[in-house]
Amino acid sequence: MSASLILNDPTLLQTNAFIDGVFTAAPNGKTFAVRNPANGEIIAEVADCGADDIARAIDAADTARHSWAATTAKERSAILRKWNDLCLENIDDLAAILTAEMGKPLAEAKGEILYGTSFIDWFAEEARRVTGDVLESPFPDKKFIVLKQPIGVFGAITPWNFPNAMITRKVSPGIAAGCTCVLKPAEQTPLSALALAELARRAGFPKGVINIVTGMDAPAMGETLCADERVRKITFTGSTEVGRILMRQSADTIKKISLELGGNAPLIVFDDADLTEAVEGAIASKYRNAGQTCVCANRMFVQSGIHDKFVAALAEKVAEMKVGDGFEEGVVQGPIIDQQGFDKIERHIADATAKGGVVVTGGKPHEKGGTFYQPTVLTGATRDMQLFSEETFGPVAALFKFDKEEDAIAAANDTIFGLAAYFFTKDVSRIFRVSEALEYGMVVSNTGAYSSEVGPFGGVKASGLGREGSKYGIDEFMEIKLMVIGGV
Ligand code: ADP
């Protein structure tokens, strides 16, 4: 264990996969190193499981599914609530593990644990609000009833940028619905997943209900999940490219699928915006998690009348942002997750500046070295730049100047993606007009932060399928069954 990671409860640092209620090493004893992106230190060696272990976990989930589905919603709710309480009791440790393995500032990590538990809490309640229907029968001697039933075993694959919340957002509704699961966390952040498994064990979930399998061979593990007939649903958050693979692989067994994929979010600032609100919203949306979220604003369209004032105010705030190790006091931006992520940022900046973009602040690797990058504001962005069509996934605000509302909307919609979109204006009719015109799953005005368990989270077009959280989230894990009774 890394010397820098000191936990109140060291038993939360689990390093083996959680299969059928037991923490188990990979059969051949293979492990992989989990590193702290702030300093490259190895935090722990974790079980490097593979396709066979996924298959074992599916066996366990399949064995558990009938008895779990037969529990009452109230019983499931009580265990979920226990899990929620244990997460909150251990928030400091969960946040420390999260910061150590992915680098986000500790305060942000705590925010993520609260966000993560909000889904457990919410679905503990939603479990008890699943209702079927009694229909008006078209026949005098037949009754028509609609049942909602758990879909069965589901496979979940999660990313590194929200190592806690992306797990609870998928597992809680599924478990609440009466399903059992096999989850593969991102290889960069297995420790947050295993800490959640340990707390789930303590909460009293029966064995096999939640299985978490760690490992480096994501393609083989994903393939096994997709190919198995017993897995009736796949839920995935990650890149559009991997989403396509999973969808293709699920075709043979006709699985239900939920995908939360790339974003390329626009953020539009109209002349009639409140400048302070727009700058604060832009910072909240852009620089959270060092720009490494799929709802981070990737393209900022700023109307010509407010453009220069907005640039000056944004650049001033961004230049003050403290970059460093997430455990350091006052740090608001940690390292980029890995070299690959860092290289993409450099590539986007080089491409943009070669095509006429102007760096107002930042634009270079941070003097701290490693994968730290300067918070950046770049003006003069144009549609031929890579950062127009691809997510930078880093702390780079790219500003495009525009004159007319319709031009900003057309540019904002000119992407294969459609996850989150933001805009700032104080004109109420424009709020309705623009909200309706933006082809996104989530359209947000006059704020940069909106995620919560209450709102349906998800995208359109290449940003995905299905919605997570909210009153709609549990339906993704249920089948609708028509029950007809004749001769009555
Ligand atoms: P990112 O670029 O954010 O790492 P990915 O889509 O590559 O996004 O990763 C998200 C999750 O998908 C991780 O858990 C990763 O291990 C997993 N993954 C990557 N490739 C595949 C694949 N071919 N099949 C299944 N899962 C995969």
Side-chain angles (χ1 to χ4, degrees):
M1 177 169 149
S2 146
S4 58
L5 182 59
I6 296 160
L7 302 176
N8 299 318
D9 179 354
T11 62
L12 286 178
L13 197 82
Q14 293 291 336
T15 55
N16 284 326
F18 188 64
I19 301 174
D20 206 12
V22 182
F23 284 99
T24 14
N28 51 10
K30 247 171 80 178
T31 61
F32 65 99
V34 181
R35 288 178 190 275
N36 181 337
N39 54 25
E41 237 179 65
I42 293 179
I43 308 163
E45 289 282 340
V46 168
D48 189 3
C49 296
D52 291 349
D53 307 282
I54 288 278
R56 251 180 351 104
I58 297 172
D59 291 343
D62 191 52
T63 305
R65 86 179 165 93
H66 293 289
S67 50
W68 184 244
T71 56
T72 64
K74 190 169 176 176
E75 287 166 330
R76 294 196 294 279
S77 176
I79 304 183
L80 279 162
R81 197 164 291 290
K82 186 89 195 290
W83 192 26
N84 174 63
D85 295 346
L86 286 167
C87 290
L88 290 174
E89 279 166 29
N90 291 282
I91 185 169
D92 290 340
D93 283 349
L94 292 178
I97 292 171
L98 204 161
T99 292
E101 69 179 344
M102 79 75 58
K104 71 174 65 170
L106 194 58
E108 223 179 295
K110 277 192 192 163
E112 178 178 338
I113 307 300
L114 291 175
Y115 180 53
T117 54
S118 75
F119 292 105
I120 309 179
D121 182 53
W122 175 265
F123 286 108
E125 294 167 355
E126 286 298 288
R128 305 183 62 190
R129 313 264 182 272
V130 173
T131 49
D133 267 317
V134 178
L135 307 180
E136 197 55 33
S137 176
F139 307 103
D141 59 343
K142 295 180 181 120
K143 297 290 180 204
F144 276 57
I145 294 166
V146 171
L147 301 182
K148 284 196 183 168
Q149 294 183 309
I151 193 162
V153 177
F154 67 97
I157 299 178
T158 52
W160 51 264
N161 61 347
F162 288 91
N164 175 287
M166 292 307 98
I167 294 177
T168 58
R169 199 162 81 177
K170 294 182 185 313
V171 171
S172 313
I175 298 301
C179 302
T180 55
C181 91
V182 176
L183 182 138
K184 191 208 82 65
E187 52 276 27
Q188 297 91 335
T189 58
L191 298 171
S192 292
L194 295 174
L196 277 171
E198 167 60 11
L199 294 173
R201 190 191 63 74
R202 292 183 199 174
F205 286 103
K207 64 179 190 160
V209 170
I210 297 179
N211 302 276
I212 296 191
V213 188
T214 50
M216 290 294 285
D217 194 355
M221 294 164 95
E223 213 176 318
T224 305
L225 274 176
C226 292
D228 200 303
E229 288 284 354
R230 296 168 298 172
V231 176
R232 295 314 317 147
K233 180 188 170 78
I234 293 285
T235 169
F236 170 73
T237 296
S239 60
T240 295
E241 189 191 326
V242 173
R244 287 192 184 104
I245 295 174
L246 295 173
M247 199 168 173
R248 241 177 254 133
Q249 287 176 347
S250 297
D252 285 343
T253 51
I254 318 285
K255 290 192 206 319
K256 190 159 169 166
I257 302 180
S258 298
L259 303 170
E260 301 287 357
L261 310 173
N264 197 12
L267 182 147
I268 309 171
V269 182
F270 290 102
D271 283 347
D272 54 14
D274 177 300
L275 183 65
T276 310
E277 201 169 77
V279 170
E280 275 170 13
I283 287 176
S285 159
K286 174 71 258 182
Y287 296 95
R288 189 159 62 108
N289 207 8
Q292 305 171 105
T293 90
C294 48
V295 295
C296 279
N298 195 52
R299 301 166 296 155
M300 294 194 190
F301 301 99
V302 189
Q303 205 162 13
S304 40
I306 197 171
H307 181 272
D308 293 356
K309 277 183 282 184
F310 180 79
V311 171
L314 180 68
E316 190 188 326
K317 289 250 188 233
V318 169
E320 287 167 2
M321 286 171 53
K322 185 171 171 190
V323 177
D325 187 318
F327 285 107
E328 238 176 78
E329 196 63 35
V331 161
V332 294
Q333 186 187 298
I336 301 305
I337 187 72
D338 55 22
Q339 194 60 38
Q340 208 185 332
F342 181 88
D343 292 346
K344 186 175 191 187
I345 297 168
E346 289 229 284
R347 203 165 60 240
H348 277 193
I349 297 274
D351 172 72
T353 49
K355 290 172 182 163
V358 176
V359 170
V360 182
T361 185
K364 292 199 184 70
H366 197 276
E367 57 266 26
K368 285 194 179 289
T371 58
F372 288 100
Y373 202 87
Q374 292 178 345
T376 301
V377 175
L378 181 142
T379 56
T382 50
R383 287 204 204 188
D384 58 339
M385 293 177 183
Q386 287 171 7
L387 46 71
F388 180 81
S389 46
E390 275 179 52
E391 274 183 309
T392 305
F393 236 62
V396 179
L399 273 57
F400 302 71
K401 202 187 223 179
F402 74 94
D403 288 315
K404 292 208 217 94
E405 179 182 303
E406 55 266 37
D407 294 342
I409 291 170
N413 287 340
D414 182 14
T415 169
I416 60 166
F417 298 105
L419 191 60
Y422 307 83
F423 65 97
F424 291 83
T425 176
K426 285 297 172 188
D427 177 340
V428 175
S429 52
R430 179 177 262 163
I431 288 179
F432 278 91
R433 199 166 58 236
V434 175
S435 296
E436 285 173 14
L438 288 171
E439 295 162 349
Y440 286 81
M442 298 170 285
V443 179
V444 179
S445 51
N446 297 328
T447 178
Y450 68 94
S451 294
S452 89
E453 74 281 19
V454 175
F457 190 102
V460 300
K461 295 158 72 180
S463 290
L465 292 173
R467 293 295 179 269
E468 292 190 326
S470 81
K471 67 173 183 174
Y472 308 103
I474 200 162
D475 284 341
E476 305 276 342
F477 297 87
M478 309 210 84
E479 289 285 19
I480 285 177
K481 180 183 281 176
L482 172 65
M483 179 177 157
V484 179
I485 309 169
V488 287

